[in-house]
Amino acid sequence: MRRVPAPLIALAGLGLLFFLLPLAGLILRAPWDQAAAGITAPETATALELSLFCSLAATAIALVLGIPLALVLSRMTGKPRKVLRALTTLPMVLPPVVGGVALWLAFGRRGLVGSFLYQAFGLQITFTTAAAVMAETFVAMPFLVIAVEGGIRSLDPRYEEAARALGAGGWMVFARVTLPLLRPAIFSGAVLCWARALGEFGATITFAGNFPGRTQTVPVAVYVALETRPDAAIVLSLILLAVSLAILVGMRDRWLGAL
Amino acid sequence: MSLKARVKIIRAGFELDVLLDVDDGETVAVLGPNGAGKTTLLRALAGLASMDGRVELDGEVLEDSAQGLYVPTERRQIGLVFQDHVLFPHLTVLDNVAFGLQAQGRGDARQVARRWLERNVPRGARLAEEVKTAPLARSHFRSTHRYSLATRRTLDQYRENGYGYLVANRSVRLAYTREAHRYGAEVSFYRDLDRRGCLLFRFRPSEHRAGPVIEIWALDRGTHVCQPPNRRVPRHRFRPSVGSRVPPDDVGAEELP
């Protein structure tokens, strides 16, 4: 390792400490003796179940819509591509609460699409599980799109050309050549997307609200429980931390390579 | 089957302008140094590179930039053997061979491919299982066999349609020659051209058993610089090592519908 000036080492250590202390606090102050009971408590189980369902549903939707979107993006050139790409990645930098407000304005009972849905079918999206899934998809899908688009760009175009020269039409080329070759990129994109969806808080609580069993996902439950039952909040936080760690260990090199 | 084409491609620092006129039963080899435009010419004929001009195969217009006409690659009867094969790494050896037939909608594509592999791929103890299960990228497949696979994959278009036009971004090797014979094509093997990376255009000329007429073109910096004085090259000059002899184990042919 090359020499790093001492003041910089000190600052680096401070930065690391800043990361590690909260995690240490979480682990040290956790009510380990009550952890088992906390996990099996009905409220915790409900929130966990809902979180798992919503994040997996969001990932599934992101896969169905995001892969074609990435494909279209990768085939575009010039200005339209830049604009579309910026729009797609906007939710990554947008404060999730703003995303929630935006979703509410679009799909709320008086929103752009929501008012039509309500008047025509009596359908209300806000404050339902569907709203939680939508909020998570909105925030998490860009992660998948970016990862898959990167995968497409690094793909050797001659595989698709060879398939076409062999007489395969557009759909067959996509299903038998492009999609399987993209599997690593799709996998890492889906994991990133799922992790982001699982931790989603701001957009969910804004657009879907906080109804146990319906829209109260784990992050929302943590926030609510912190005031009344801090032990439960800590247990739930530990679960999310464990999931994040598992993903980090499982992905290792892929993590940044995909982006 | 005749091929008439005018291919014009202008890119930064590169200009290709070639007039092709290949009669039925004729073979054209295009020579040229690196960057002369050999690959680009082939890609244009196959519809993989955008170009100005016109491509006409056996009277059917495949591309005419003046009229805005373009037949997509997958609907052209032009098979393309890539320089480094471009076999699909994620498919098994079997599925690689079957791909072309599947693309043509043949339901028994895998059975046909399996029969071909069983008879033609040199047996190795491990091969049998790998053919069925392991993706090509992870199987122990030697490069000589890869060549055979790539060619076979492309040649299946002949099988299905009864005709076709092959462009090979590589001079033709033994494995390929054996394959081509099964489809009634006569292909020769030119040792001398191999080193310089030639291309060989080929069509199905089973009526022309007299032996191929070989036309050699030189391509330099995108232009067809000369048609050598020996326009019709005596075959012995290039020592065709296989010639037009049909190899003994003529499998496959009976499987034709």
Side-chain angles (χ1 to χ4, degrees), chain A residues 12 121 170:
Chain A
F121 308 104

Side-chain angles (χ1 to χ4, degrees), chain B residues 116 119-120 177-184 209 245-256:
Chain B
W116 179 80
R119 288 181 197 168
N120 292 276
T177 315
R178 284 162 54 106
E179 275 309 300
H181 278 304
R182 303 202 171 117
Y183 297 85
R209 282 289 177 196
R245 266 178 294 129
V246 177
D249 62 331
D250 196 359
V251 216
E254 313 89 307
E255 293 164 11
L256 278 166

Side-chain angles (χ1 to χ4, degrees), chain A residues 183, chain B residues 88-93 126 130 133-141 146:
Chain A
R183 209 164 53 181
Chain B
F88 303 121
H90 61 289
L91 294 182
T92 62
V93 172
R126 256 188 306 219
E130 278 179 354
T133 53
L136 187 74
R138 276 189 272 127
S139 72
H140 304 75
F141 224 67
R146 281 169 193 263

Side-chain angles (χ1 to χ4, degrees), chain B residues 115-135:
Chain B
R115 274 204 297 277
W116 179 80
L117 277 169
E118 275 163 8
R119 288 181 197 168
N120 292 276
V121 172
R123 289 96 182 134
R126 256 188 306 219
L127 193 68
E129 271 314 297
E130 278 179 354
V131 161
K132 285 177 230 141
T133 53

Side-chain angles (χ1 to χ4, degrees), chain A residues 13 22 69 137-138 171 189 192 198 221-222 240 243:
Chain A
L69 185 55
T137 311
F138 180 83
W171 188 255
L192 282 174
L198 192 69
V222 168
L240 285 184
V243 171

Side-chain angles (χ1 to χ4, degrees), chain B residues 35-48:
Chain B
K38 303 185 295 285
T39 302
T40 309
L41 175 63
L42 284 196
R43 288 173 55 83
L45 291 176
L48 292 171

